[in-house]
Amino acid sequence: MGRSPCCEKAHTNKGAWTKEEDDRLIAYIRAHGEGCWRSLPKAAGLLRCGKSCRLRWINYLRPDLKRGNFTEDEDDLIIKLHSLLGNKWSLIAGRLPGRTDNEIKNYWNTHIRRKLLSRGIDPATHRAMNEPAKTISFSAKEEVARERERSPAVKREKCPDLNLELRISPPNQRDGGGGGTLCFGCSTGIHKSKDCSCGGDNINGSSSYSGYDFLGIKAGGVLDYRSLEMK
DNA sequence: AATGGGCTCAACCGCGTTATC
DNA sequence: TGATAACGCGGTTGAGCCCAT
């Protein structure tokens, strides 16, 4: 079962958009608003597929787009967000008003990647290049066998309670031990903020940090994707 | 002035997810 | 419940520009 093409390929233009096409698209969206990209090209008199119209509007024609160079603040924010979210460009773009996912993705690949590499930081992991990667060095099978040797009772348990909950935590977050965990603010170096849930006392007694709502994330120690506003 | 290599970024492609029938 | 349509996202491509030689 193949997927049907998103549009009639035979009668659509490809490649760079002309001024006239841009004008038609802008005029149509101003009059009718966004939505139903599939039917838009025909209605607007464009020989483009809906996908192409959507991309052109979102990445280039939207009136709220901020054109021009990225600021140092934006650079820093992108790096921080990327370290938390990875290549979730649309989520990152959602935290940078006026910037698109495509723009940020391009900017990352052309500028920030190189910037981090020149500082000796691996852009994929945000760790120092000479820092040995912590990898799991044994296969799951080996570990199960080892565990069975230690305690035969485990043998029967085909599928122990798998916890597949996705959590994004700063790399040095202390875990386990009941109550020993840090709140997100403290673990990112922002202690005693109004959202601090651990009182800032978990970091060597240091509490002289000025607090603010880091990236608007308020969940204690766990990044809640729902709090990230989509564009 | 010619040219080749590197860089930038708009646009395309393919796939996953969600909505609808 | 499965098939199909539509949307949205991330990865990739390629045309055009810039710069060193």
Side-chain angles (χ1 to χ4, degrees):
Chain A
M1 176 188 63
R3 189 183 177 80
S4 61
C6 73
C7 52
E8 293 282 341
K9 299 242 178 198
H11 300 101
T12 54
N13 291 340
K14 276 186 164 187
W17 279 63
T18 64
K19 179 83 175 61
E20 193 191 342
E21 286 176 313
D22 281 350
D23 291 343
R24 275 179 187 269
L25 182 57
I26 291 167
Y28 183 86
I29 291 178
R30 275 195 188 140
H32 302 94
E34 290 180 51
C36 198
W37 295 106
R38 189 177 166 79
S39 60
L40 184 148
K42 199 176 175 184
L46 287 162
L47 293 174
R48 293 274 180 176
C49 82
K51 219 172 177 177
S52 180
C53 293
R54 178 183 154 270
L55 216 60
R56 182 66 178 171
W57 174 254
I58 288 173
N59 288 332
Y60 202 81
L61 299 175
R62 250 169 48 198
D64 58 327
L65 287 181
K66 189 200 288 183
R67 313 293 304 177
N69 295 339
F70 282 75
T71 64
E72 274 296 313
D73 285 349
E74 284 177 315
D75 271 23
D76 290 344
L77 187 54
I78 291 169
I79 292 167
K80 278 176 190 163
L81 286 167
H82 187 271
S83 73
L84 285 167
L85 302 168
N87 294 356
K88 300 288 175 194
W89 305 116
S90 63
L91 285 175
I92 293 172
R95 311 303 292 186
L96 283 135
R99 301 295 188 186
T100 70
D101 52 356
N102 205 36
E103 196 179 8
I104 293 169
K105 180 171 62 184
N106 283 330
Y107 187 65
W108 175 270
N109 287 326
T110 56
H111 292 89
I112 301 182
R113 258 176 62 86
R114 204 172 307 145
K115 186 170 157 182
L116 292 179
L117 285 169
S118 72
R119 289 180 189 169
I121 297 169
D122 182 350
T125 62
H126 294 262
R127 289 170 183 272
M129 302 278 251
N130 55 7
E131 191 176 320
K134 288 177 186 171
T135 55
I136 298 169
S137 61
F138 49 80
S139 70
K141 268 186 183 175
E142 287 168 358
E143 178 58 10
V144 167
R146 231 172 286 160
E147 187 58 39
R148 280 177 181 167
E149 277 176 28
R150 284 197 291 268
S151 96
V154 177
K155 206 192 307 187
R156 293 204 163 272
E157 198 170 13
K158 265 188 180 171
C159 186
D161 292 338
L162 285 172
N163 183 0
L164 298 176
E165 183 185 10
L166 174 64
R167 283 178 175 229
I168 298 174
S169 307
N172 63 345
Q173 181 169 349
R174 275 181 275 169
D175 203 359
T181 57
L182 305 179
C183 75
F184 190 76
C186 289
S187 57
T188 50
I190 304 157
H191 311 292
K192 292 269 182 174
S193 70
K194 63 181 163 48
D195 299 310
C196 174
S197 59
C198 71
D201 294 320
N202 287 319
I203 304 276
N204 305 328
S206 64
S207 57
S208 59
Y209 299 83
S210 64
Y212 63 95
D213 178 14
F214 182 62
L215 305 178
I217 299 162
K218 301 198 176 194
V222 179
L223 173 63
D224 184 352
Y225 267 85
R226 288 164 302 185
S227 73
L228 294 170
E229 188 183 327
M230 297 293 287
K231 46 175 188 180

